[in-house]
């Protein structure tokens, strides 16, 4: 039987953290529970310690991803379960995720079903992220941003250096596992309404997350980003050249610039693809 560690990043979650920990103890026996207090200004750490969970406190807020990395380094289990401290994830679902990973998977994600999104706007955004990630990886990604997942610790730690300190560790880790050829599976879950106020700001974090999505895309499958851009520039150059030749019988500087740009972008994609391949040579 593989040992299991549960890592819970928490920031100002004193109203829910105690209940979350007790629920885990009721549903899983012999489990290591690690709460990473990410610079909370309330009694989150004290409430967690009262439940006899292992508590690691950051001296200041470093971000959700930084808390995940801290917990992953400290966990002793061969399997690590990541879940939120706000009460959205049900401890009863952990056994379902563990059963799925025992079938030979390396990562199992709790995929939120319809009705689990905090708002319609976030649901649309997550739908776009899932579509984009599915196109990048060539596999169907059912929930790219879910923070409820179980991983094989040894393989997860391979990618700690890639994980950002902010809110996008699920995105990066999912795409990293796909790129490395590890098995990723999904278990449908229903996320409850969170306790307290969300730390995510839709406009600020949404724009930041979109940038991260494209950064991750260029990191894991560069040609799928660069090739369409190169093709677009080449098409624009051809259309412009055709128009100017038909009307003025000239090959203009703009056509030359667009053709040159398309070649440069494509070559950058090829070089990026080779660099990415070197990252995964082991």
């Amino acid at each position: 039987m593989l040992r299991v560690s549960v890592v819970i990043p928490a920031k100002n979650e004193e109203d829910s953290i105690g209940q979350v920990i007790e629920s885990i103890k009721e549903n899983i026996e012999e489990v290591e529970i690690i709460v990473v207090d990410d610079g909370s200004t309330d009694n989150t750490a004290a409430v967690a310690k009262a439940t006899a969970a292992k508590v690691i406190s950051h001296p200041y807020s470093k971000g959700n991803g930084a808390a995940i990395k801290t917990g992953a380094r400290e966990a002793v289990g061969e399997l690590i379960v990541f879940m939120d401290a706000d009460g959205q994830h049900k401890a009863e679902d952990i056994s379902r995720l563990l059963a799925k990973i025992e079938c030979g998977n390396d990562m199992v994600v709790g995929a939120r079903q319809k009705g689990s999104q905090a708002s319609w706007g976030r649901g649309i955004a997550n739908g776009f992220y899932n579509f984009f990630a599915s196109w990048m990886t060539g596999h169907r990604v059912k929930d790219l941003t879910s923070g409820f997942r179980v991983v094989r610790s040894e393989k997860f730690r391979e990618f700690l250096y890639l994980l950002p300190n902010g809110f996008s560790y699920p995105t990066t880790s999912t795409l990293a596992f796909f790129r490395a050829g590890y098995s990723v599976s999904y278990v449908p879950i229903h996320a409850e309404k969170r306790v307290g106020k969300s730390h995510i700001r839709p406009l600020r974090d949404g724009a930041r997350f979109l940038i991260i999505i494209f950064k991750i895309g260029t990191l894991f499958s560069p040609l799928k980003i660069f090739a369409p851009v190169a093709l677009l520039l080449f098409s624009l150059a051809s259309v412009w050249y055709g128009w100017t030749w038909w009307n003025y019988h000239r090959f203009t500087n703009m056509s030359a610039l667009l053709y040159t740009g398309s070649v440069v972008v494509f070559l950058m994609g090829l070089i990026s693809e080779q660099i990415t391949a070197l990252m995964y040579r082991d």
Side-chain angles (χ1 to χ4, degrees), residues 243-273:
W243 186 81
T244 54
W245 180 261
W246 180 264
N247 290 278
Y248 305 106
H249 302 288
R250 294 176 55 194
F251 179 77
T252 64
N253 291 337
M254 179 59 71
S255 296
L257 181 62
L258 289 172
Y259 277 126
T260 303
S262 67
V263 173
V264 170
V265 170
F266 182 72
L267 292 178
M268 287 176 61
L270 284 178
I271 295 172
S272 299
E273 193 74 26

Side-chain angles (χ1 to χ4, degrees), residues 81 121 128 133 155 158 163 183 246 267:
V81 177
F128 168 75
K155 294 180 178 178
E158 294 178 18
L163 303 184
S183 300
W246 180 264
L267 292 178

Side-chain angles (χ1 to χ4, degrees), residues 185-201:
S185 189
Y186 297 87
V187 170
I189 64 167
H190 179 78
E192 302 291 341
K193 184 177 180 181
R194 67 161 287 129
V195 176
K197 186 178 180 182
S198 174
H199 301 298
I200 297 178
R201 298 178 183 178

Side-chain angles (χ1 to χ4, degrees), residues 21-41:
I21 295 172
E22 293 300 335
S23 180
I24 294 172
K25 290 181 177 180
E26 292 173 2
N27 285 274
I28 305 179
E29 298 179 357
E30 299 181 5
V31 61
E32 178 190 38
I33 302 176
I34 301 175
V35 176
V36 183
D37 173 31
D38 187 39
S40 296
T41 56

Side-chain angles (χ1 to χ4, degrees), residues 19 47 61 64 103 138 178 200 223 242 264 271:
Q19 183 178 354
V47 173
S61 179
N64 180 264
C103 295
F178 274 123
I200 297 178
L223 269 181
V264 170
I271 295 172

